[in-house]
Amino acid sequence: MSQRVHQLSNHKLCPFHYVILLFTLVQIFLLSSCAGTSDWSFSDLPGDYEIWRINSKEIVLVKKTDDVLGESVVDAYVSKVAWDDNFILAQQESNADNTSNTVSFYIVDVNSENIYGPLTEDEFNELAKQIQVEVNNMDWILTSDLAP
């Protein structure tokens, strides 16, 4: 038996094994950070867009790429959203605690999948006029109110 243990301890991994191991670890990390780890999601947005609450400090707007994965469109912390059939509006705050907060705005064109932002409030209002987003006909909703 000691000879068998000795043989195993002398076994070295070739570079190909390291590549496979690295690839496997990256997949595990990506799947655990994107799928199944969110507290809740809100999927009633137009297109394949959803709001995902990863935890109390990370609420993001994502575009779903398949049943369990999504690509971040607006990173945390998305505090408010509004939408119609053609556009999704998002308000992003620099921190979830509302202390020393910087607010940015985003416009997502659902049809073309163009994402405009981060924008200041003035830039947001100007761009909304230019691309004919009817902001006044949309109600801003706190993302915390979207929880099931």
Side-chain angles (χ1 to χ4, degrees):
M1 177 155 168
S2 65
Q3 188 177 26
R4 174 84 173 139
V5 171
H6 180 67
Q7 287 176 345
L8 289 175
S9 65
N10 286 336
H11 183 71
K12 294 184 180 180
L13 294 176
C14 70
F16 178 73
H17 289 119
Y18 284 109
V19 170
I20 295 297
L21 180 62
L22 179 63
F23 180 73
T24 303
L25 291 173
V26 167
Q27 281 186 321
I28 290 169
F29 173 76
L30 289 174
L31 289 173
S32 68
S33 66
C34 295
T37 58
S38 64
D39 288 349
W40 55 259
S41 64
F42 179 79
S43 58
D44 288 344
L45 298 175
D48 293 324
Y49 295 92
E50 295 185 355
I51 296 291
W52 287 1
R53 183 181 187 266
I54 309 303
N55 58 48
S56 64
K57 296 185 187 284
E58 294 181 86
I59 298 178
V60 297
L61 174 64
V62 300
K63 176 158 179 57
K64 285 196 66 172
T65 55
D66 64 27
D67 288 340
V68 294
L69 297 175
E71 180 181 324
S72 181
V73 174
V74 179
D75 292 329
Y77 177 83
V78 177
S79 59
K80 294 180 184 178
V81 291
W83 67 90
D84 63 16
D85 292 337
N86 300 308
F87 296 98
I88 300 170
L89 312 178
Q91 179 178 314
Q92 177 194 55
E93 297 185 19
S94 59
N95 79 50
D97 298 330
N98 296 326
T99 57
S100 301
N101 218 11
T102 302
V103 177
S104 299
F105 295 88
Y106 290 79
I107 299 174
V108 178
D109 184 328
V110 174
N111 300 313
S112 70
E113 297 186 358
N114 287 334
I115 301 160
Y116 305 96
L119 306 165
T120 65
E121 188 170 7
D122 290 338
E123 291 169 335
F124 168 80
N125 290 325
E126 183 62 34
L127 180 61
K129 287 178 194 173
Q130 287 177 10
I131 62 175
Q132 301 176 345
V133 178
E134 300 198 22
V135 175
N136 295 332
N137 293 338
M138 296 185 205
D139 293 324
W140 286 95
I141 300 172
L142 292 170
T143 52
S144 59
D145 291 342
L146 298 174

